[in-house]
Amino acid sequence: MTTLRPSHRESPENHQASPPQPTRALSSRFARWDKKYSAYVYILPFFVLFALVGAIPLAYTAWVSLNDWSLIGGQGDFIGFDNYVAVLGERNFWIALRNTLSIFIIQVIPQLVIGLAIAAALDRNLRNGTLWRMGVLLPFIVMPVAVALIFNSLYGDQYGLINTTLQSLGLPTVGWHSDVLPSHIAIATMVDYRWTGYAALILLAGMQAIPRDYYEAATLDGAGSLRQFFSITIPQLRGTLIFVIVTATIGGLQIFDEPRLFDDQGLGGPDGQWLTLTLYLYKLGWNDLDFGRASAVAWLLFCLIAIIALINLFITTRIASSARRKRKGE
């Protein structure tokens, strides 16, 4: 039985006479569009989401801050920058700014140093390494209310574990809820307890991306572990460090849960000992029902975070650049 098959060969005359194929031209055009615009389409959902939950609320907050706006009465008269002038003239704003910066400095430096040490330890060939790496993240998933309960039993003024221990040793007790600096230290330890493991895992991911050839060459040259850490790990980790420092700055200046839950009142202490900018904003908006001033505080906090983040980025970039120039000079 003979099977008839279509011939794939075409005569030159037939080839020249065939009309242009629109399907092939359309697919070629789609291929060019895919190569040119696909990357923008992939990242478009993020920017759409950011516009909906970030940029638009930010712009709306700016508009609210320029009006006399009450939670109950709604929008009032346009008053320009009067809300900003009023907020900057209040004593509580400057107390909140002082407390925010103090708690931020006390908590961010130990968080980075301890996070680096934990990441360096986890970067070694440990038995059950995955278990240890998951373990450092456990405090991060603990609810802030649970963390506050645990640490309040430590930092209680009368019946806390620390003051009870000090009393048993014949030492003076610490006014964790009455003095400024002790309250800042207590809140900073609560923040570090939750966020140090998270920072350590990000730093660990950066460390594991460093080529192992560098360490093998340094070992052959006689460099010890400490020298390798400061000469190889830290310089190679600068991009990750910048990311961790910037995110720690943003999170540290926006802390709300820990100072809010540090006592049963949640207003930053009887004399504003641990009143932060976010607590002050909350007080203006929900206790005083003044959304205009609360929005002004939100924008001032946004500007403060942006300025400190840019300063951090500038300093870390300069340090990394100077280290790179120094290595080239060697």
Side-chain angles (χ1 to χ4, degrees), residues 134-305:
M134 291 177 60
V136 299
L137 203 59
L138 283 178
F140 180 69
I141 62 177
V142 177
M143 293 295 291
V145 176
V147 175
L149 288 174
I150 295 170
F151 280 84
N152 277 331
S153 58
L154 287 176
Y155 294 117
D157 288 336
Q158 295 182 353
Y159 305 106
L161 179 62
I162 296 177
N163 276 352
T164 303
T165 305
L166 291 174
Q167 283 179 340
S168 63
L169 296 175
L171 298 174
T173 59
V174 180
W176 299 109
H177 292 79
S178 58
D179 296 334
V180 174
L181 185 58
S183 65
H184 294 182
I185 294 173
I187 294 173
T189 55
M190 294 165 64
V191 177
D192 285 340
Y193 172 77
R194 289 192 65 227
W195 289 95
T196 300
Y198 175 79
L201 280 188
I202 294 177
L203 293 170
L204 175 63
M207 287 181 184
Q208 292 188 334
I210 300 173
R212 298 294 156 180
D213 298 346
Y214 295 170
Y215 295 102
E216 293 174 1
T219 303
L220 291 176
D221 290 340
S225 300
L226 196 62
R227 176 66 186 277
Q228 293 179 19
F229 180 77
F230 285 105
S231 299
I232 298 175
T233 304
I234 295 296
Q236 293 294 322
L237 208 61
R238 58 182 179 275
T240 310
L241 276 173
I242 292 173
F243 172 78
V244 172
I245 290 171
V246 171
T247 53
T249 301
I250 296 172
L253 294 174
Q254 290 181 332
I255 56 169
F256 178 79
D257 295 335
E258 290 81 3
R260 171 78 173 165
L261 298 170
F262 192 54
D263 68 351
D264 55 355
Q265 302 295 323
L267 297 176
D271 197 25
Q273 289 90 336
W274 61 92
L275 176 69
T276 60
L277 283 175
T278 51
L279 278 180
Y280 180 55
L281 186 156
Y282 179 87
K283 178 177 176 297
L284 286 176
W286 298 103
N287 291 0
D288 300 344
L289 308 180
D290 193 341
F291 269 23
R293 292 190 182 185
S295 300
V297 174
W299 258 93
L300 290 172
L301 178 60
F302 173 78
C303 295
L304 175 68
I305 292 173

